Each structure stands twice: as C-alpha cells, then as structure tokens.
Amino acid sequence: MMSGSLILQVAVPFPLYDTFDYLPPPGSTGAGIKVGMRVRVNFGRRQVIGVIMGLNDQSRVAQNRLKRVVEVLDSVPVLEQKLLQLLRWSSAYYHFPIGEVVSTALPKRLRQGQKAVVDGEVVWRITDPGRLIVSDQLKRAPKQLALLQLLNKSPAGLGGAVLNQLQYHWRPAMKGLSQKGLVQKTNRPCLVPDHGPADHAPQLNGQQSYVVNAVSSRLEEFTAFLLAGVTGSGKTEVYLNLADQILKKGRQVLVLVPEIGLTPQLVSRFRRRFPLPLAVLHSGLSDSQRHCAWYMAGLGEVGVVIGTRSAVFTPLARPGLIIVDEEHDASFKQQEGFRYNARDISVYRARQYGIPVLLGSATPSLESLRNVQLHRYRLLKLRERAGGASLPGFEVIDIRSRKIEDGVSKPLFEEMYRHLEADGQVLLFLNRRGFAPVLICHQCGWAVSCERCDAFMTVHVAHRSLRCHHCGAQRSRPQSCPDCGSLDLRELGAGTERLEQGLRQRFNDTSIIRIDRDTTRRRGEMQTKLEQIHRGEHRILIGTQMLSKGHDFPEVTLVGIINVDYGLYSTDFRATERMAQLIVQVAGRAGRAGKPGKVILQTHQPEHPLLQLLLSRGYEAFGEAALQDRRCADLPPYRHMALLRAEGAQPHAPQAFLEQVRSSTTKAPCKGLNILGPAPPPMERRSGMYRVHLLAIAERRGPLMELLDEWIIIFKSMRSTRKVRWSLDVDPIDLS
Ligand code: ADP
Ligand code: ZN
Ligand code: ZN
C-alpha cells in the first residue's frame, strides 16, 4: 500500500471488471479533479477515454508503477454522483464490466473524447415571474412590455438574429427585464420545441382522477406504482396529466417506451400537450443530436425525455417522475452485451432520487404482478375504456381436423366477409413472416434446414429464396429433393406472405396491406403504410408483432389471430404469458371509435385452461393463475435466475469452459440454489456456433448474487481462450 498523493480510479472501456488506478496528469496535484470527469489514459499500448469512478489516497499498486493520466478532459463532471452510483449498482447487479456499463450511458461523442458542452445560440426566455405579469404591469415601459409579450409567445426563447429584426433597440429593454428577473439568458444549442397548436387536456374521468391523485399525493417520495389499465382506458392521459404537474413544479419527466417507431402516437401526444423542449432519444438520432439531447437533459433544459431502453441512463438535473409505458415489453431487456432491464433499473433510479415511478400496461408482466403481491409495487387500475368504447368479444375456433386454406379456416373467412360487407376493417395477426416456415419433400419427408443453425429455412416467395430467420443465411429453392430426387417439394404451414397471397385470390376486389419486417424495411415505409391504414385505404390488414404495439386502428371491427398455438406448445416457460399479452394487445387495437369489435382465435387447443381463463375472465384472472403455475413449478418470479451462455465453433470448448466454471464453484449446490447443466439449449447450433448453457436458479436473490460474485472471480482466473465466447445473463427473459 502506498499513500500520499491522489489516486484516480478509472473505468476504461474494456470488458474488465475492475477500475484502474492512475495518478493525476503531469504537473497536477489533483486539485479540481472530481469523480465523473473523463480522462485520457494510456492503457496497454493504446490511449483510451476513461471515466473517474472514485478518488482515493492509496493504491494497491506501488507508487512507482502507477501511471499518470494523460489529461483530464472535463472541468465539470459529465456524470453526476447519483448517475455514477446507478452505473456502479448496475455493474454489480448484472455482473457486467464497469467500463462497458459506463460506455452504455455516455453518448458516442463523449466516449470519443469530444468536449461535453454543446454550445450554441444564446437566447432570451421569459421566466415564470415574467409570465405572471405579462399582461397587466410594466405600463410605463412599452418596449419592455412588447418584448415580454413577444417572448411569452416563444417559449423556446429568441436569439439575437430574430431580435435584431425588431424596429427598436431591444438590448436596453432586455437588460431592464433581465434585472427584474422577468427574462433569462440561456443557451439553446440544439433542441427546439414544437410550436404546433397545443392539445387541450380532457377532463379526467373518475377512475383516471383516482389514479392521478394516488400518484400526485406522493410526488416527493419513492413509490413504485403499477398502472394496470385495459387498452384504451386512458393510461396515456394519466401520464400526460402527471407530467403536467411535474413540469409545473419545474421538474423533469423521464418516459421509457419499448420502441419509438412503434409508438409515434405517444410521442406526438406529449409534443402537442407541452410546448416545451422535449428530448426524444432513439436509435435514429445522429451522434450530435443524441449528445445534445443528453446534455440538455442534464442541464435541466428539457422538461420531458422520451426514450427507449438506454434512455434510463439519461442525466436529469431535476427528476420528478419516471414512467415506463408497456412495462411488460421484452425490449426493455437488452439481449446482448450489457444485458440490463431498463424497467428494473428505472425502479432503482426512482428510489435513488426519492421520486415515484409509474409502470403502465394493459398486460402487466408476472414479475410486476408478483411485486404487487409482495407490496413492493402499489397497484392502480383502470378497468374501463375511456370515451365509452367497449372491449371486443372473443370467439375461439377449434381448427383440429378443419380444412385450413393459407392459414384461414372457413368460419374465419365467413366472419371476414360479414365484417367487410358491413364496412369494417379486418386485422389478421400472424407472428411469422415469410411464405411458409418449412419446405418439405412430399415423398420422403426431407426438409430444407439451415447449414449453420439447427433450424428450418423459411420460404420467401417475393425474394425467390429460402432464408434462415436465425442467422440470415439465404439459399435458392432446390429443384428436387437431394435425398430421393423427388420433384414434389411442398411448403408447410403459412406465414404472412402466404396469408396475403391467399387472401388476394379470395378477396380480389378488396384492398389488402401487409405490415411485417419484410414490407417495412425501407426508411419511412412503416409510417407511410400506417397513414394509408388510417385514411381507410385498406380493408384487410395483415401483420406480425409490429401491429400489436402502440397503434390504434379505430375502424377495425374484426381481429383474427391466425395461430395461437405457438404460445401453447413452446418449450419456453414464458410462452403462455407472452401469448396472453399478445392476444390482449392485438385485441385492444380494435374497435376504439365506439364500434364494437370481435376477436377470433384459431387454435388446436381450445380447452387450454389458461387460454379459457383469459378469454372468460380477463388478463387479471389469467395473471393470478399463471403466477400460481409458476409458483408450483419453482420458476420466476418465484425463483431468481442467471444464465451463463458459452459458444464455440466446436462443441467441446464451450462445454469444457462451463464444466470448469461449474467444478470450480464452491458456493453451490447449497440449499435453495441449484445449478443446471452444462447442457445445450433447444437450438444447439446457431450461426455456425455450438451453444451450451449453465443455468443457476435460486430461491433468494442473495445467494444467487454471491454465486455470481464467485463466478466473476473464476472468470478472471481462467485463461481467456479465443475458442469460447461467453456471456452472463442475470434475470434472463429468454432461455433459448
Ligand atoms: P391507453 O393509453 O390506456 O391506451 P389513451 O390515453 O390513449 O389510453 O386513451 C384512449 C382514448 O380515449 C384516446 O383517444 C384518448 O384521447 C381518449 N381519452 C382518454 N381519457 C379521456 C377522457 N378523460 N376524456 C375523453 N377522452 C379520453
Ligand atoms: Zn425426398
Ligand atoms: Zn441459420
């Protein structure tokens, strides 16, 4: 141990679990250096940008072996204390290297070492006191009054370029206003509010008021609320009303959504309701736009931040409320690299700041329902649709031994004719794109499978090819069977492409549109198609999962779910939950404008108890029963899981890696903690790699965390080998 001079503990952007000790830059004693600042350091043979995570006066490394940082890049920290602590906690909870966690939180430009400040145009803005007196006082200062009125109409502020066009010398008047505290000079680098007509807020109904009051009576403390509201019950109105209260207190709202592209309606409703700068963080932003939004949010210049998963790490100067919309959605969990769950982190973050967090969904996750049972979350409900629309009725069609043409049974066809004749729109949902999931030899049963995956290839007619949906591999359609030479190759099953083709033949004078990843690949295509639907240009809509989220189709009176069975036969224990969420979400797209909707489900398992329960008594009853099943089966949320995945070009190396981890483990097996494997997952080979899993299941989280701590030590001690790629997934939501 040495002590004396200041030691900087630096997180570097590499897959390393520890921070590294450095001395202040040459010639500096360390005065003015703070945690959260970026530094340029020599690391190995490279220079990289790191972040100071801590300051210390001693190091385990001898003084003469410590390097100095090359330079300190910031004069103010880019990550404030609480955010740093959030990152440290996330790194510890997910057992993921700190440097990479920090990288996730920083915009690319800051990771590259560019300057943190985004400076731009200087603008003058009216202040709250200014707004109060804009109409009645200042009678003796007409120029000041005129200026104030002008600024009142420009909430984003006005810059010199605009003000110089005025007919008078505005600077002295502005100075006068500024001295009275009625205006304020700020920087407006990059974010500009919309000036569109502001939406009028509707009067909340009784149940909405109850929910809003429940939250707003606790704005100064941490509470996690689960808002379970049926589709169309006015959850978004609740968000808007609460956001309004928070903004009036001068505080900020963070809204997390699954995918911006699929929820444009939510973003535009926020924009129209609040004529303030609003930051929307999504993957389509340029690096400088992202940097700007991030910086402005950290300064407190942005009232509302709406973003996907990674926005949970946005710096906030004055946070007041966190909202997670569609909290059940799997996209809050990152499925590669740093496998965090933004919903869970947002709850931690709200607790950190002592503010409420509101998790909203029509179909809450079983994890959240369990947290309600444990009194960790407080449940709030919206039971009825706002605006009087009724929820659709369900009908199950037993398709066992029925003739199915291009995926559709006769009763569904008949129902489609009826609704189309009555001028309704019909939405058919099928969660499988392409023409057919399998191409099979009718003589001998051979089927085309992917050379790199243990999976069949999907037939795509439009592309004249077969494609693997797991690795993207393509091949042309074989002319004959390589095993028996037969020319009789047939498509088995139906995807959206086949559904569309079949319906075009049958309904040849009806306009049909298909929305899936194949038809919305180009930029803007999704938007264009949705607009066509809303203008009523299409009568039959065919779609995958994409159509189950976010968008409302008020003219749709009939929803057909082509195949419910994918959810009932799957090996994934979460499949039934996902199926129920999907059914309810798809059903909720229909019949909003007061037109009653109908939902038809085709299944081979009409008597499946959970399906029956869902349809007869609704999602809440389903949730209770599904939780009971999970309890009996010792599965999450009654158990805690961590999955260690390994893969390699040869099966031996990943297997040996996991065996070594397992045999080095001393913490298990102990009571309430089981380790399963190493064993291959259902799809053993994917993208040419052999995969092996080691799964830890624990009754309590504490012992699981201890086990993972031990695993990290084991990983560090193992010689790294290029033959194995491995990753640790804490609270995995997908075990495949
Ligand atoms: P959700 O987010 O639960 O799907 P929304 O907030 O989008 O529900 O509300 C569904 C529809 O009902 C929207 O068109 C919305 O404008 C309308 N709505 C919601 N609350 C009210 C209200 N209190 N009065 C009138 N209309 C409302
Ligand atoms: Zn054959
Ligand atoms: Zn493949």
Side-chain angles (χ1 to χ4, degrees):
M1 290 276 180
M2 57 80 47
S3 65
S5 64
L6 188 71
I7 306 295
L8 320 184
Q9 300 169 322
V10 177
V12 292
F14 292 107
L16 299 163
Y17 286 95
D18 302 306
T19 55
F20 290 82
D21 288 351
Y22 284 88
L23 293 168
S28 159
T29 57
I33 294 182
K34 297 199 176 77
V35 293
M37 291 177 173
R38 292 169 303 154
V39 287
R40 187 185 305 281
V41 296
N42 286 309
F43 191 81
R45 260 166 279 155
R46 293 171 56 189
Q47 275 204 355
V48 297
I49 309 295
V51 172
I52 304 172
M53 300 302 291
L55 296 173
N56 206 342
D57 57 9
Q58 53 187 24
S59 171
R60 267 173 297 180
V61 183
Q63 169 108 40
N64 57 6
R65 298 198 48 218
L66 279 176
K67 284 186 241 170
R68 291 191 172 273
V69 304
V70 177
E71 61 173 324
V72 179
L73 294 172
D74 300 304
S75 53
V76 240
V78 290
L79 294 168
E80 45 96 9
Q81 293 274 1
K82 282 212 171 90
L83 203 47
L84 279 178
Q85 199 228 324
L86 182 74
L87 297 173
R88 240 183 267 120
W89 175 81
S90 304
S91 166
Y93 182 87
Y94 291 102
H95 290 77
F96 199 73
I98 181 68
E100 295 190 306
V101 170
V102 170
S103 290
T104 305
L106 286 178
K108 187 169 171 203
R109 288 173 143 224
L110 297 190
R111 292 202 301 271
Q112 291 171 334
Q114 299 191 28
K115 76 174 163 46
V117 181
V118 183
D119 37 35
E121 198 187 4
V122 172
V123 296
W124 280 265
R125 252 195 230 170
I126 191 165
T127 58
D128 284 338
R131 232 169 260 129
L132 281 178
I133 63 152
V134 69
S135 48
D136 43 53
Q137 291 179 20
L138 288 169
K139 292 224 170 69
R140 274 160 299 168
K143 278 183 196 162
Q144 288 190 10
L145 181 58
L147 211 46
L148 205 58
Q149 283 168 341
L150 188 65
L151 290 177
N152 194 38
K153 284 186 229 137
S154 318
L158 293 174
V162 177
L163 294 168
N164 284 339
Q165 290 168 15
L166 295 174
Q167 299 299 317
Y168 52 90
H169 291 298
W170 57 272
R171 284 188 189 273
M174 193 69 88
K175 195 167 172 202
L177 289 170
S178 177
Q179 279 161 354
K180 293 179 193 138
L182 306 179
V183 301
Q184 197 184 8
K185 191 164 131 179
T186 45
N187 265 24
R188 184 183 58 183
C190 40
L191 278 173
V192 191
D194 284 353
H195 289 291
D199 261 0
H200 172 75
Q203 184 81 37
L204 296 183
N205 63 32
Q207 48 174 10
Q208 285 171 321
S209 304
Y210 178 85
V211 168
V212 164
N213 288 337
V215 181
S216 59
S217 65
R218 289 170 176 245
L219 292 184
E220 305 300 328
E221 60 190 284
F222 165 72
T223 315
F225 294 95
L226 177 65
L227 175 57
V230 298
T231 46
S233 59
K235 291 185 291 299
T236 312
E237 272 312 317
V238 166
Y239 304 157
L240 290 165
N241 190 294
L242 287 167
D244 190 37
Q245 297 183 33
I246 300 290
L247 292 171
K248 287 197 173 118
K249 286 168 164 275
R251 296 173 57 185
Q252 296 169 287
V253 185
L254 173 64
V255 185
L256 300 181
V257 296
E259 280 163 82
I260 297 276
L262 299 181
T263 48
Q265 284 161 340
L266 182 119
V267 175
S268 71
R269 277 167 77 180
F270 269 88
R271 272 198 203 286
R272 293 200 310 265
R273 186 68 64 85
F274 307 112
L276 296 162
L278 176 141
V280 183
L281 291 159
H282 57 88
S283 55
L285 294 184
S286 69
D287 292 343
S288 66
Q289 285 171 321
R290 177 176 304 275
H291 181 186
C292 160
W294 193 88
Y295 178 72
M296 296 289 273
L299 282 186
E301 294 282 307
V302 172
V304 179
V305 176
I306 303 182
T308 46
R309 192 169 59 218
S310 64
V312 72
F313 298 113
T314 312
L316 297 165
R318 293 183 299 280
L321 173 68
I322 304 179
I323 294 168
V324 183
D325 190 33
E326 309 292 1
E327 66 87 27
H328 65 280
D329 199 288
S331 55
F332 286 120
K333 171 89 181 182
Q334 177 137 311
Q335 304 276 24
E336 55 185 32
F338 174 25
R339 293 171 160 80
Y340 65 98
N341 188 321
R343 174 195 63 206
D344 298 343
I345 292 185
S346 73
V347 173
Y348 182 89
R349 197 168 181 197
R351 184 194 299 274
Q352 244 191 332
Y353 289 103
I355 59 172
V357 55
L358 183 61
L359 312 177
S361 176
T363 53
S365 61
L366 296 186
E367 277 74 12
S368 293
L369 292 174
R370 174 71 182 143
N371 278 325
V372 169
Q373 289 180 348
L374 293 170
H375 305 290
R376 290 192 188 135
Y377 295 174
R378 188 171 154 206
L379 181 63
L380 299 169
K381 294 183 195 174
L382 295 173
R383 294 173 184 280
E384 277 141 38
R385 282 190 156 182
S390 54
L391 278 165
F394 290 99
E395 187 184 319
V396 174
I397 297 180
D398 181 356
I399 50 172
R400 281 175 298 196
S401 72
R402 257 187 212 282
K403 190 162 167 249
I404 300 287
E405 274 178 61
D406 302 310
V408 181
S409 66
K410 192 156 167 259
L412 178 53
F413 273 130
E414 283 166 3
E415 200 68 33
M416 287 177 70
Y417 280 117
R418 201 167 327 157
H419 281 263
L420 291 171
E421 243 153 55
D423 268 350
Q425 267 180 341
V426 174
L427 167 63
L428 294 183
F429 177 85
L430 176 56
N431 215 2
R432 183 165 271 195
R433 66 196 169 85
F435 188 82
V438 191
L439 184 68
I440 195 166
C441 168
H442 195 55
Q443 287 300 315
C444 75
W446 172 84
V448 184
S449 47
C450 177
E451 287 179 0
R452 292 154 49 80
C453 306
D454 293 331
F456 294 122
M457 294 187 88
T458 302
V459 184
H460 283 259
V461 170
H463 304 298
R464 299 165 180 280
S465 66
L466 275 73
R467 295 186 170 192
C468 173
H469 287 185
H470 301 283
C471 72
Q474 291 189 37
R475 57 164 292 176
S476 56
R477 190 191 160 100
Q479 299 294 320
S480 59
C481 173
D483 276 11
C484 73
S486 164
L487 296 177
D488 190 3
L489 300 181
R490 297 189 185 180
E491 289 85 7
L492 213 65
T496 47
E497 199 183 7
R498 183 175 209 164
L499 186 59
E500 180 187 8
Q501 198 181 76
L503 293 176
R504 281 195 192 284
Q505 278 160 14
R506 198 176 268 261
F507 299 91
N508 52 21
D509 52 359
T510 306
S511 173
I512 299 176
I513 188 167
R514 167 161 67 100
I515 294 198
D516 57 27
R517 263 207 286 150
D518 295 315
T519 66
T520 55
R521 233 173 257 282
R522 267 168 290 167
R523 212 189 168 85
E525 222 168 0
M526 177 81 176
Q527 205 50 40
T528 315
K529 290 204 152 83
L530 287 171
E531 280 159 18
Q532 290 171 3
I533 294 174
H534 284 287
R535 284 198 300 268
E537 288 176 24
H538 306 285
R539 313 312 316 283
I540 300 178
L541 330 174
I542 298 170
T544 53
Q545 186 110 14
M546 290 179 116
L547 274 197
S548 71
K549 297 183 186 182
H551 308 283
D552 302 333
F553 304 108
E555 298 301 316
V556 168
T557 57
L558 175 68
V559 175
I561 304 181
I562 298 301
N563 195 340
V564 177
D565 296 344
Y566 296 138
L568 302 178
Y569 286 105
S570 169
T571 53
D572 183 342
F573 73 85
R574 284 195 171 85
T576 2
E577 176 187 359
R578 294 215 185 97
M579 175 212 61
Q581 288 164 342
L582 199 98
I583 291 173
V584 174
Q585 295 287 347
V586 177
R589 304 298 129 215
R592 288 218 173 178
K595 296 190 179 187
K598 179 167 188 177
V599 179
I600 291 189
L601 301 101
Q602 298 191 140
T603 173
H604 286 91
Q605 283 200 70
E607 64 290 312
H608 191 288
L610 284 177
L611 181 63
Q612 283 298 336
L613 191 64
L614 176 71
L615 302 186
S616 60
R617 296 190 34 223
Y619 187 83
E620 195 178 347
F622 163 86
E624 279 167 21
L627 273 178
Q628 197 55 42
D629 280 4
R630 296 273 187 91
R631 183 203 293 276
C632 297
D634 288 341
L635 286 169
Y638 296 90
R639 290 291 181 276
H640 306 284
M641 281 186 177
L643 179 60
L644 181 58
R645 296 183 176 90
E647 60 177 36
Q650 303 299 327
H652 172 73
Q655 176 79 24
F657 172 84
L658 293 183
E659 270 165 16
Q660 195 184 338
V661 172
R662 178 159 193 172
S663 64
S664 313
T665 305
T666 60
K667 294 257 191 284
C670 69
K671 207 173 167 306
L673 176 62
N674 287 308
I675 300 180
L676 308 179
M683 187 187 297
E684 182 173 4
R685 218 161 64 95
R686 191 163 75 189
S687 297
M689 300 293 255
Y690 289 88
R691 308 156 73 223
V692 190
H693 286 177
L694 192 63
L695 181 66
I697 308 178
E699 274 173 36
R700 288 180 304 118
R701 188 165 288 284
L704 180 69
M705 288 292 147
E706 282 170 30
L707 172 74
L708 299 184
D709 290 343
E710 186 180 19
W711 279 4
I712 299 298
I713 295 169
I714 296 172
F715 298 153
K716 286 184 196 166
S717 74
M718 285 169 77
R719 224 155 33 92
S720 73
T721 154
R722 260 190 262 159
K723 287 189 182 146
V724 182
R725 278 210 310 246
W726 58 268
S727 62
L728 183 59
D729 192 349
V730 178
D731 303 336
I733 58 162
D734 185 356
L735 299 184
S736 68

